[in-house]
Amino acid sequence: MDKKYMELALREAEKAYNEGEIPVGAVIVEDGKVLSFAHNIKNKSNSVIDHAEIIAITEASKIKHNWRLDECDIYITVEPCPMCASAIHQSRIKNIYYGCSSGRENNTKIVKEILKQDEINRKTIMTGGLLGKECMTLINNFFNNKRKK
Amino acid sequence: MDKKYMELALREAEKAYNEGEIPVGAVIVEDGKVLSFAHNIKNKSNSVIDHAEIIAITEASKIKHNWRLDECDIYITVEPCPMCASAIHQSRIKNIYYGCSSGRENNTKIVKEILKQDEINRKTIMTGGLLGKECMTLINNFFNNKRKK
């Protein structure tokens, strides 16, 4: 776990913020090398698939010419949704480091279940709270501004 | 629910089978019109994202210039994984009709939890067993052949 990768994920989340997208950023790292980074572009691309994590996984798989990312870690500014958690798990990513919680208890519960699905002979380990305050502030600012409008 | 769309999904699954991919096909239908159809190409594309459902959702969203597919139904030959279930739910698709079960009890449980996540003010209804025998035979043949090799 290295704070500098979460700082990069936060820069990605800020790009989403500036584009009017829910500010989430993701970075995939292998052996101290950044493989890919991305931010949420769901509204711009008109696709629920285009979460930061999915774009980062797609890019990392392209670079490695392999869907197995079993030596990689992913840094995400916010706890993943079930779609992204399952994509991360299926790609065999070792560790998820996220910043702040989704604030939705049921989401956390489902995500934890997904990460220990045993048909994939591997568990993804998830650790939260890395630069949690900064990640949370960005999300809160986004939704507060949205409410004001 | 209309059997003819599952027949089309089965044709897609057969394409996957012939390409050496786990045979899963998906079709998205809106008002009796096929919007998109796809099959699993995970190994060919080297990406865990490229499940039939995700490709079909991406294509349908492109056609509609909208990530909301709230008047659509999806036909899938096999019960979805959590990644695809969550993508379907987030895209507001109304109904999932699938052929055969994944055979993994824990997957079914997680998928059901995802489809009633309440932060999205909408529940996706899932109905299984449409051409279940045909869909199951295709999957079984695939894994039996794989074991023989």
Side-chain angles (χ1 to χ4, degrees):
Chain A
M1 185 164 75
D2 192 325
K3 216 174 66 171
K4 72 180 177 211
Y5 302 122
M6 189 61 89
E7 280 161 357
L8 180 55
L10 254 171
R11 296 297 87 74
E12 283 299 306
E14 284 165 0
K15 289 184 200 167
Y17 183 98
N18 292 331
E19 293 166 11
E21 304 273 359
I22 296 177
V24 182
V27 172
I28 295 179
V29 179
E30 185 185 42
D31 287 334
K33 206 177 70 184
V34 172
L35 275 187
S36 61
F37 49 88
H39 60 278
N40 171 39
I41 57 163
K42 174 186 166 186
N43 286 321
K44 189 170 75 178
S45 71
N46 275 323
S47 170
V48 297
I49 315 298
D50 280 342
H51 283 190
E53 299 92 317
I54 301 286
I55 302 170
I57 289 172
T58 302
E59 181 67 14
S61 300
K62 258 186 212 158
I63 290 168
K64 293 193 65 68
H65 304 287
N66 199 335
W67 58 261
R68 285 173 198 272
L69 303 174
D70 46 6
E71 294 304 317
C72 298
D73 298 328
I74 189 166
Y75 291 74
I76 326 170
T77 55
V78 186
E79 175 193 271
C81 75
M83 173 180 75
C84 295
S86 180
I88 291 166
H89 187 56
Q90 291 184 56
S91 72
R92 313 284 203 269
I93 285 175
K94 273 199 295 191
N95 290 289
I96 299 173
Y97 302 114
Y98 70 83
C100 64
S101 158
S102 67
R104 291 173 275 118
E105 214 176 285
N106 192 41
N107 190 76
T108 310
K109 200 185 122 210
I110 292 171
V111 164
K112 282 183 182 167
E113 283 295 316
I114 289 169
L115 297 183
K116 58 182 187 193
Q117 271 196 292
D118 48 16
E119 63 268 27
I120 295 171
N121 202 5
R122 175 84 173 260
K123 287 176 182 48
T124 304
I125 298 163
M126 184 166 70
T127 312
L130 185 61
L131 300 184
K133 208 177 139 186
E134 291 85 341
C135 296
M136 181 60 93
T137 300
L138 193 63
I139 285 276
N140 284 346
N141 287 348
F142 178 81
F143 285 109
N144 287 339
N145 282 337
K146 218 175 166 183
R147 267 178 226 115
K148 275 184 213 156
K149 276 175 194 169
Chain B
M1 186 164 75
D2 191 325
K3 216 174 67 170
K4 72 179 177 214
Y5 302 122
M6 190 60 90
E7 281 162 357
L8 181 54
L10 254 171
R11 296 296 87 74
E12 283 299 307
E14 284 165 0
K15 288 185 200 167
Y17 183 98
N18 292 332
E19 293 165 9
E21 304 272 0
I22 297 177
V24 183
V27 171
I28 294 179
V29 179
E30 185 184 41
D31 288 333
K33 208 176 70 184
V34 172
L35 276 187
S36 61
F37 49 88
H39 59 277
N40 172 37
I41 57 164
K42 173 186 165 185
N43 286 322
K44 189 170 75 178
S45 73
N46 274 324
S47 170
V48 296
I49 315 297
D50 281 341
H51 283 190
E53 300 92 316
I54 301 287
I55 302 170
I57 290 172
T58 302
E59 182 66 15
S61 300
K62 259 187 210 156
I63 289 168
K64 294 193 64 67
H65 304 288
N66 199 335
W67 59 260
R68 284 172 199 273
L69 303 173
D70 46 8
E71 294 305 317
C72 298
D73 297 330
I74 189 165
Y75 290 74
I76 325 171
T77 55
V78 186
E79 175 193 271
C81 75
M83 174 179 74
C84 295
S86 179
I88 291 166
H89 187 56
Q90 291 185 55
S91 72
R92 314 283 204 266
I93 285 175
K94 275 199 295 191
N95 290 289
I96 298 173
Y97 301 115
Y98 71 83
C100 64
S101 157
S102 66
R104 290 174 275 118
E105 213 176 285
N106 191 41
N107 190 74
T108 309
K109 199 184 124 211
I110 292 171
V111 164
K112 283 183 181 166
E113 284 294 317
I114 288 169
L115 297 182
K116 57 183 188 191
Q117 272 196 293
D118 47 15
E119 63 269 26
I120 295 169
N121 203 5
R122 177 84 176 260
K123 287 174 183 47
T124 305
I125 298 164
M126 185 164 71
T127 311
L130 185 60
L131 299 185
K133 208 177 138 186
E134 291 84 342
C135 295
M136 180 60 92
T137 300
L138 193 63
I139 285 277
N140 284 346
N141 287 349
F142 179 81
F143 285 108
N144 287 341
N145 283 337
K146 218 174 165 184
R147 267 178 227 114
K148 274 184 216 156
K149 276 174 193 167

